[in-house]
């Protein structure tokens, strides 16, 4: 099913993101997580993409397992990192023939140890190049692209940043999924700026509950950055145990989700870190057992 059909069928979409497991123990945990979250009836799930050979194989293995065993729509991430145009074509061809009909098209972060992204030989330098390539050779594939509510770290010019995003939309993107954020005002402002520049495709909100201080540190160190509001930091500063940290983080994310729903968000995308606990708790806090309650 094409992602546009999903948006047409649902007043609001709920979705979850996973990354490929690196060993059998992690795989067992992930499949339990997927089973738990499948009961929440997500509109789709997405799987992140590993650029390296062995990691890429793990991505493909997870996609195929989900495709064969789980009753859920799959969106596969695909990046420009480490692949030529011919390799990208073969990946898309394999996905398409396997029933994977929707792609999240990203430039991707530079490999670990490299400070700056460099386009592979005969590869793509920007996400828009990947979007155009998919649209040309696989027109039936649905395409998502990333949005940055707090601004892209490599594009300090916010007007230019939106122009780049608009170019991806004009090239054929079907929806935008934002990076994580912790202040809904940043999301609403982003949506308003998109509207002003003529972007009118669905924008879904990326939510990642704080579950540990190490998780927070990781989010602040990543190239995508993360702005933690003072009110959230003050609440976390009062905690003394990991359970209390998780309680605060999940409560904050629940408040975000409730506010987004009340303000007519088109979709909410949970970055799960391959754990079901936070999403299950948020649904419980909302007083619902699955996503159909919001239709």
């Amino acid at each position: 099913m094409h992602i546009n059909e999903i948006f047409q069928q649902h007043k609001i979409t709920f979705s979850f993101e996973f990354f490929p497991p690196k060993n059998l123990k992690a795989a067992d945990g992930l499949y339990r997580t997927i089973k738990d979250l499948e009961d929440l009836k997500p509109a789709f799930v997405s799987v992140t993409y590993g650029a390296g050979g062995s990691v890429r194989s793990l991505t493909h293995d997870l996609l195929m397992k989900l495709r064969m065993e789980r009753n859920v729509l799959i969106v596969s991430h695909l990046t420009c990192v480490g692949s030529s145009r011919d390799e990208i074509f073969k990946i898309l061809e394999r996905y398409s023939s396997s029933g994977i009909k929707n792609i999240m098209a990203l430039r991707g972060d530079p490999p670990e140890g490299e400070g700056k992204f460099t386009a592979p030989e005969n590869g793509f330098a920007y996400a828009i190049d990947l979007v155009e390539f998919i649209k040309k050779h696989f027109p039936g594939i649905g395409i998502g692209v990333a949005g940055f509510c707090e601004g892209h770290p490599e594009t300090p010019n916010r007007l230019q940043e939106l122009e780049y995003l608009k170019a991806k939309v004009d090239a054929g993107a079907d929806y935008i999924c934002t990076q994580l954020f912790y202040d809904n005002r940043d999301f609403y402002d982003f949506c308003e700026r998109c509207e002003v520049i003529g972007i009118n495709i669905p924008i879904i909100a990326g939510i990642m509950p704080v579950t540990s201080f190490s998780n927070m540190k990781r989010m602040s160190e990543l190239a995508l950055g993360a702005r933690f509001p003072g009110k959230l930091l003050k609440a976390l500063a009062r905690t003394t145990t990991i359970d209390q940290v998780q309680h605060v983080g999940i409560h904050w994310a629940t408040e975000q989700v409730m506010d987004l729903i009340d303000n007519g968000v088109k979709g909410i995308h949970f970055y799960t870190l391959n754990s079901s606990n936070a999403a299950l708790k948020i649904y419980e806090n909302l007083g619902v057992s699955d996503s159909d309650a919001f239709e």
Side-chain angles (χ1 to χ4, degrees):
M1 183 180 292
H2 194 285
I3 194 67
N4 280 339
E5 295 178 66
I6 292 295
F7 290 123
Q8 291 168 6
Q9 292 177 6
H10 296 271
K11 179 181 177 182
I12 176 174
T13 64
F14 290 83
S15 52
F16 304 108
E17 182 168 301
F18 310 112
F19 58 83
K22 295 183 179 180
N23 52 55
L24 289 176
K25 182 179 179 180
D28 289 341
L30 173 58
Y31 297 138
R32 286 195 298 272
T33 292
I34 292 171
K35 185 179 185 304
D36 289 342
L37 295 180
E38 187 179 23
D39 292 339
L40 299 180
K41 299 181 182 178
F44 64 91
V45 300
S46 69
V47 178
T48 63
Y49 177 78
S54 60
V55 183
R56 185 186 302 165
S57 177
L58 291 173
T59 297
H60 182 71
D61 291 345
L62 176 56
L63 287 169
M64 293 304 102
K65 188 174 182 66
L66 291 175
R67 179 75 178 87
M68 297 298 294
E69 299 180 7
R70 308 256 63 100
N71 183 31
V72 64
L73 185 76
I74 302 165
V75 175
S76 177
H77 288 210
L78 187 59
T79 75
C80 304
V81 180
S83 298
S84 67
R85 292 170 182 263
D86 290 341
E87 290 171 325
I88 291 289
F89 183 89
K90 290 177 181 178
I91 291 169
L92 288 165
E93 193 172 46
R94 181 171 56 180
Y95 285 172
S96 184
S97 63
S98 301
I100 308 297
K101 301 296 186 181
N102 298 285
I103 296 292
M104 172 60 66
L106 308 165
R107 190 204 67 179
D109 296 325
E112 190 172 351
E114 297 183 20
K116 186 178 181 180
F117 176 84
T118 302
E121 184 176 353
N122 192 34
F124 302 117
Y126 302 101
I128 186 175
D129 302 325
L130 181 55
V131 172
E132 290 174 340
F133 185 83
I134 296 171
K135 204 67 179 177
K136 177 180 179 180
H137 296 286
F138 299 88
I141 284 182
I143 303 173
V145 294
F148 295 79
C149 299
E150 300 172 1
H152 194 290
E154 295 181 18
T155 312
N157 185 326
R158 295 291 168 254
L159 294 177
Q160 189 177 57
E161 176 190 33
L162 279 179
E163 291 171 0
Y164 292 158
L165 181 59
K166 178 65 160 54
K168 288 189 287 186
V169 172
D170 291 344
D174 295 292
Y175 74 100
I176 297 165
C177 182
T178 75
Q179 293 289 355
L180 60 95
F181 60 91
Y182 294 97
D183 189 332
N184 285 5
R185 291 175 297 181
D186 291 325
F187 177 79
Y188 300 138
D189 180 73
F190 173 75
C191 291
E192 288 178 358
R193 288 184 286 123
C194 285
E195 182 180 358
V196 167
I197 202 170
I199 294 173
N200 55 19
I201 60 175
I203 301 175
I204 64 177
I207 298 294
M208 180 186 285
V210 173
T211 54
S212 69
F213 285 116
S214 60
N215 168 254
M216 282 183 63
K217 183 179 180 182
R218 177 63 174 159
M219 291 305 101
S220 62
E221 288 175 347
L222 288 174
L224 56 88
R227 186 175 70 82
F228 298 98
K231 187 176 180 180
L232 172 59
L233 293 177
K234 287 174 68 176
L236 290 167
R238 292 191 290 267
T239 64
T240 57
T241 69
I242 184 63
D243 286 344
Q244 290 172 343
V245 171
Q246 292 177 358
H247 178 78
V248 169
I250 291 171
H251 174 76
W252 186 273
T254 300
E255 293 292 315
Q256 281 190 273
V257 172
M258 290 176 64
D259 182 70
L260 289 164
I261 293 171
D262 289 344
N263 282 279
V265 70
K266 185 58 183 174
I268 294 174
H269 187 68
F270 291 98
Y271 296 105
T272 70
L273 297 179
N274 287 11
S275 173
S276 62
N277 179 63
L280 291 171
K281 285 289 187 181
I282 289 171
Y283 273 69
E284 181 181 336
N285 291 343
L286 293 172
V288 298
S289 58
D290 59 56
S291 302
D292 288 348
F294 301 100
E295 294 300 327

